Amino acid sequence: MTVNGSRIRQWQNWAGTESCTPGLTMAARHEDDIIAAVRAAADRDDEIRVTGSGHSFNAIACTSGVRLDLTRHRGIVSLDRDAGEVTVRAGTTIAAMNTALHRAGLAVANLGHLAGQTLGGAISTGNHGSGRTHPPLAGEVTAVRLVRGDGDVVDLTSAGGDLFRCVRTALGGFGILSAVTLRVRPAFRLRVAERPEPLAAVLERFAHWPEEAEHTYFSFRPGDCQVHMRHMSEVPDEASPRAGLKRFAGTAAQVRTAAGWGGSIPSRDYVTDSWRAFTVWEPARFSACEYAFPLAGSREVLVAVRDALVGHEPRSPYPFTVRVSAAEDAALSLAADRPTMYLNFATPNKAGDVAMLRRFDAACRAHGGCPHWGKRHFATAEDIRDRYPGWELFQRVRAAVDPDRRFVNDHLRRVLGITGGGRTGRKR
Ligand SMILES: Cc1cc2nc3c(=O)[nH]c(=O)nc-3n(C[C@H](O)[C@H](O)[C@H](O)COP(=O)(O)OP(=O)(O)OC[C@H]3O[C@@H](n4cnc5c(N)ncnc54)[C@H](O)[C@@H]3O)c2cc1C
């Protein structure tokens, strides 16, 4: 266990949009270190928050109490081919898990855009990719190992009922995930087909667009008439020659257009390993806000939110990204109980650009959206509590599991409406 008691050591998220000064910083390599950190927080009568890779765009990981860095608590615990499951320590990055699975001839069925985040952070915030038959990542979780506020460790599976439903998208509010078990399948390759096409044509066939490929999403800037469409489907083919170069060229073209240097993102067609196809390289720092909506009726929402941004300055050089997922049953899942459309909007991190994010956020909220727990948003519990069928269940189970509110920070007080608790620091 590494302990750093410095009171002035600042922590900052990846985007550079949030920072905090924890009263105590600790780092865990083993589960015993996690238990010791939880007990240290209890001794100080302080709150405790885990930080993973810091890839959340909001203050969800921030604390003035105890910060526990989990990024060294990593590695594969076990691989069960027959059951189709992998168990990883929660501080393992998705990238590291992907590499280990690849060596074993296995893969996760669907992933989001980035592989730098930890499994614990990704599952706690509702991380998702795109594909109408695929749930968010929490929907692939078959078991978790949780360190609770009293230092006890519990293993939970679907037999764990309500607690298991809640802990899979828990915003760090239930305790600390020590390990996570995910469904895996034999490794596979995807054909990636990208092309520009008119927005009007996509809107016309919007109800059927998610069926065009197993994984599909598109992006366009507010005001643009063209979208950049991406279809990915499983194929038995070998990887294309220079597939890595093609992926890299695509990202470079996106960066060029986002930086306002002109050019367009070219059509591309290549075959590569699934995990390489899902994830992209993110060289630039930015802010992102994302809301989830019921897939039914989402065309109207997309048009209304787009219209709320068009004509306003400054224009974002970054696009909207439109993705879909199947339903899942985690209590605070963004896809709780219904197929879902996700609308993501990114902006540069300059002061004036926050106005754009606020306009986007307000339009999404006005149309019934649920904010991504790991992205920047301005919603409070009052705005969103009626939008989650599992909201009351989550609050009830959370209060029972963490009666001292050891895992509650200011951000959770705002977005979940939890009152009281937090840092008292009586014993510091
Ligand atoms: C460039 C970029 C691209 C992204 N792409 C996508 C995408 O495609 N799809 C998508 O859905 N999201 C995406 N995100 C959002 C990102 O996946 C989430 O914010 C994710 O939570 C980040 O994981 P992390 O390890 O950085 O967690 P952190 O941001 O460090 O922590 C997030 C929260 O989880 C809690 N937490 C972390 N580990 C544990 C644990 N072991 N036990 C309990 N609580 C824990 C923390 O306390 C905190 O509350 C993207 C973010 C970035 C910066």
Side-chain angles (χ1 to χ4, degrees):
M1 153 104 71
T2 317
V3 179
N4 177 339
S6 165
R7 279 162 192 274
I8 53 164
R9 189 169 167 169
Q10 256 213 347
W11 177 85
Q12 199 177 50
N13 67 348
W14 173 90
T17 49
E18 301 290 344
S19 61
C20 60
T21 307
L24 178 68
T25 298
M26 305 175 87
R29 281 182 193 278
H30 310 287
E31 191 174 85
D32 284 350
D33 300 336
I34 302 176
I35 297 166
V38 169
R39 296 210 164 118
D43 284 348
R44 293 161 59 91
D45 200 6
D46 226 341
E47 73 184 32
I48 176 167
R49 296 297 287 173
V50 168
T51 53
S53 306
H55 278 82
S56 294
F57 291 93
N58 59 38
I60 191 167
C62 283
T63 183
S64 54
V66 178
R67 174 173 85 83
L68 179 62
D69 179 339
L70 216 67
T71 52
R72 274 166 265 182
H73 181 58
R74 60 188 178 219
I76 305 287
V77 178
S78 64
L79 251 175
D80 184 338
R81 280 171 200 284
D82 296 337
E85 287 181 341
V86 63
T87 300
V88 294
R89 293 186 188 90
T92 312
T93 60
I94 292 177
M97 176 187 70
N98 286 343
T99 309
L101 288 177
H102 179 68
R103 284 198 198 110
L106 297 168
V108 177
N110 191 25
L111 291 169
H113 279 162
L114 188 82
Q117 62 275 69
T118 63
L119 264 307
I123 284 154
S124 300
T125 54
N127 183 275
H128 64 90
S130 196
R132 109 199 127 83
T133 60
H134 296 271
L137 194 59
E140 302 289 3
V141 173
T142 58
V144 298
R145 197 165 156 82
L146 180 75
V147 180
R148 302 192 325 186
D150 53 11
D152 279 0
V153 184
V154 285
D155 286 300
L156 295 167
T157 64
S158 57
D162 287 346
L163 182 52
F164 190 66
R165 262 192 79 192
C166 294
V167 81
R168 283 181 292 124
T169 307
L171 290 72
F174 273 62
I176 299 177
L177 298 172
S178 171
V180 176
T181 304
L182 287 172
R183 264 182 223 103
V184 291
R185 50 152 295 175
F188 61 108
R189 294 200 184 87
L190 291 169
R191 174 174 293 284
V192 181
E194 294 182 42
R195 59 174 190 275
E197 60 170 303
L199 173 62
V202 179
L203 290 178
E204 207 161 290
R205 61 177 207 274
F206 200 74
H208 304 293
W209 148 72
E211 294 153 24
E212 288 170 6
E214 191 174 353
H215 307 274
T216 174
Y217 60 86
F218 63 90
S219 41
F220 67 103
R221 285 174 296 183
D224 282 358
C225 299
Q226 293 263 310
V227 310
H228 186 75
M229 179 64 77
R230 190 176 231 246
H231 285 172
M232 296 187 284
S233 296
E234 185 173 349
V235 287
D237 312 12
E238 291 300 310
S240 308
R242 296 200 300 277
L245 210 60
K246 289 178 181 162
R247 273 178 74 219
F248 177 80
T251 308
Q254 277 165 23
V255 172
R256 261 199 326 273
T257 46
W261 297 334
S264 58
I265 304 169
S267 296
R268 281 173 303 159
D269 196 318
Y270 60 93
V271 176
T272 191
D273 295 313
S274 61
W275 52 285
R276 297 186 210 267
F278 289 134
T279 55
V280 296
W281 163 59
E282 293 286 4
R285 307 277 153 137
F286 54 86
S287 284
C289 178
E290 185 172 40
Y291 273 76
F293 304 87
L295 184 58
S298 58
R299 180 191 181 282
E300 289 66 31
V301 171
L302 175 61
V303 171
V305 174
R306 188 271 315 261
D307 290 351
L309 268 79
V310 171
H312 289 280
E313 294 297 335
R315 284 188 65 194
S316 175
Y318 288 99
F320 291 127
T321 302
V322 184
R323 293 184 278 182
V324 291
S325 85
E328 59 132 347
D329 73 344
L332 290 194
S333 171
L334 299 180
D337 297 344
R338 37 95 165 135
T340 295
M341 176 197 79
Y342 304 85
L343 183 52
N344 187 74
F345 184 51
T347 64
N349 273 339
K350 288 179 285 181
D353 299 318
V354 176
M356 263 186 293
L357 271 192
R358 281 192 178 276
R359 195 171 297 119
F360 173 79
D361 178 90
C364 288
R365 257 187 291 148
H367 289 87
C370 299
H372 188 304
W373 300 117
K375 303 218 174 163
R376 207 154 174 201
H377 69 88
F378 304 94
T380 65
E382 281 313 303
D383 299 321
I384 56 177
R385 63 187 334 137
D386 297 336
R387 299 180 184 180
Y388 296 87
W391 182 276
E392 294 305 330
L393 173 75
F394 184 91
Q395 299 287 2
R396 209 170 47 246
V397 178
R398 211 210 65 73
V401 170
D402 182 27
D404 298 330
R405 303 177 186 86
R406 188 72 58 219
F407 300 101
V408 177
N409 64 357
D410 287 344
H411 183 82
L412 260 56
R413 275 186 272 278
R414 170 168 76 86
V415 302
L416 295 180
I418 300 166
T419 51
R423 184 185 189 193
T424 57
R426 278 195 291 271
K427 297 186 189 162
R428 276 180 302 115

